[in-house]
Amino acid sequence: MQARSVYKVPAGKLLKISVDYDEKTFVIKEIGITGDFFAYPEEAIELLETRLKNTVIEKTSLLKKISSVITEYHIQFIGVDAASLTHGILMCKS
Amino acid sequence: MAIDKAILVTASVGNVPPTVRFYGWSPPAISLGYFQSLTDEVDIQACERFGVEYVRRITGGGAVFHEKELTYSIVVPESHPAIPKNIMKSYGRICGAVMNGLRHLGIDSEYAPINDIVTEGQKISGNAQTRKYQTVLQHGTVLMDVDVEKMFSVLKVPNEKIKDKLIADVKQRVTSIKHQLGKEISFQEVARAMTLGFEEEFHVELITGGLRKEEQVLAKQFEQECFSTTEWNHRR
């Protein structure tokens, strides 16, 4: 199942997420995170996309996974954060 | 974009001093933020029709239509005492140089986080920063004039039905040196004002110079291997 969300983060930037996930298990097969935000280092976004594969689209799992990647790779986001990335992905779940 | 990256790489190994560059765009072009989807943001067929090029930046932020503007870039080591370690504070500091420059043109402005400079509430400059190899690169626009209709003929809008409203909104939110002063100012005049602005902000004297051989070679390499390629520009 393919889905897409557009989320203007309050006091932040525009987040556009496209997800391909299993309809029955809600497990992410592919994910693309795009938008006009900033991340340091920039290449970390590809890493985050890779690490989100096989994650269930569910608030706690997503937040935990995203936060752990941010911590592990010392990613600094500006205009988005773990909570808004989680929210954007959850918006894709129909 | 290739030149900015070449300066960044060359400065990171100490082969060139901190560098400020002023440049324009010919032909007009769209620069796309690192994280943006090209097909989401840019009408590629319209670009071909109007002779507008497009390139993905190594910095985040939004898509920018570059035509009547001065673009600046500054490259400086992260360890430089004038550059705050905190990224948001460093945006503010570098934007301070642009605001000084605008003041020399008779325009009062203020920094509007995250990455804009506004005058009377309207955006006159957008800025984007990356940090690589312990070096800061920030580049940004100083709008000399703006043609919102043309901008939205090459940038995609989320909904064609609200295109007219969007154009009207953007006209309200964006301004330019020409609009502020009621007259055209040449690129050279804006560059002179910005030179003073950077000198004042960082208490330095800028020395005019061209790219060194190493930077030229790297710029050509980055253009060929990265910025002109489909792989780079269409990667998202």
Side-chain angles (χ1 to χ4, degrees), chain A residues 4 11-14 16 32-43 45-46 49 76 78-79, chain B residues 34-37 40-41 58-62 87-88 91 114-115 127-132 235-236:
Chain A
R4 194 171 156 75
K13 294 292 189 177
L14 194 68
K16 296 181 178 181
I33 302 168
T34 64
D36 62 357
F37 54 89
F38 297 91
Y40 304 90
E42 287 80 4
E43 295 76 13
I45 202 73
E46 279 95 19
E49 289 169 341
Q76 190 171 344
I78 294 177
Chain B
Y34 180 89
F35 306 102
Q36 291 187 297
S37 158
D40 270 5
E41 308 296 334
I58 57 171
T59 51
I87 293 173
M88 287 306 299
Y91 266 105
I114 299 170
N115 58 321
N127 305 272
Q129 183 185 126
T130 186
R131 293 180 174 215
K132 293 185 190 306
R235 64 185 290 164
R236 293 187 160 268

Side-chain angles (χ1 to χ4, degrees), chain B residues 90-141:
Chain B
S90 66
Y91 266 105
R93 184 74 200 266
I94 297 170
C95 285
V98 177
M99 286 151 52
N100 290 342
L102 287 168
R103 198 182 63 247
H104 279 285
L105 293 169
I107 298 170
D108 286 327
S109 61
E110 59 186 316
Y111 172 49
I114 299 170
N115 58 321
D116 290 339
I117 295 170
V118 299
T119 179
E120 294 172 354
Q122 294 177 296
K123 177 173 173 173
I124 195 164
S125 167
N127 305 272
Q129 183 185 126
T130 186
R131 293 180 174 215
K132 293 185 190 306
Y133 325 118
Q134 291 81 51
T135 308
V136 174
L137 160 66
Q138 182 166 314
H139 44 204
T141 62

Side-chain angles (χ1 to χ4, degrees), chain B residues 65-168:
Chain B
F65 176 55
H66 303 276
E67 191 176 36
K68 298 161 188 170
E69 67 170 45
L70 174 141
T71 311
Y72 77 88
S73 68
I74 176 170
V75 173
V76 58
E78 270 187 291
S79 59
H80 195 286
I83 298 297
K85 299 280 175 282
N86 177 284
I87 293 173
M88 287 306 299
K89 285 183 181 166
S90 66
Y91 266 105
R93 184 74 200 266
I94 297 170
C95 285
V98 177
M99 286 151 52
N100 290 342
L102 287 168
R103 198 182 63 247
H104 279 285
L105 293 169
I107 298 170
D108 286 327
S109 61
E110 59 186 316
Y111 172 49
I114 299 170
N115 58 321
D116 290 339
I117 295 170
V118 299
T119 179
E120 294 172 354
Q122 294 177 296
K123 177 173 173 173
I124 195 164
S125 167
N127 305 272
Q129 183 185 126
T130 186
R131 293 180 174 215
K132 293 185 190 306
Y133 325 118
Q134 291 81 51
T135 308
V136 174
L137 160 66
Q138 182 166 314
H139 44 204
T141 62
V142 180
L143 291 170
M144 293 166 58
D145 195 3
V146 62
D147 183 340
V148 178
E149 274 90 358
K150 189 171 180 186
M151 183 163 80
F152 281 107
S153 65
V154 288
L155 287 177
K156 280 190 182 169
V157 292
N159 182 349
E160 279 296 321
K161 288 177 188 169
I162 59 157
K163 188 169 180 173
D164 289 345
K165 184 181 180 305
L166 190 69
I167 288 172

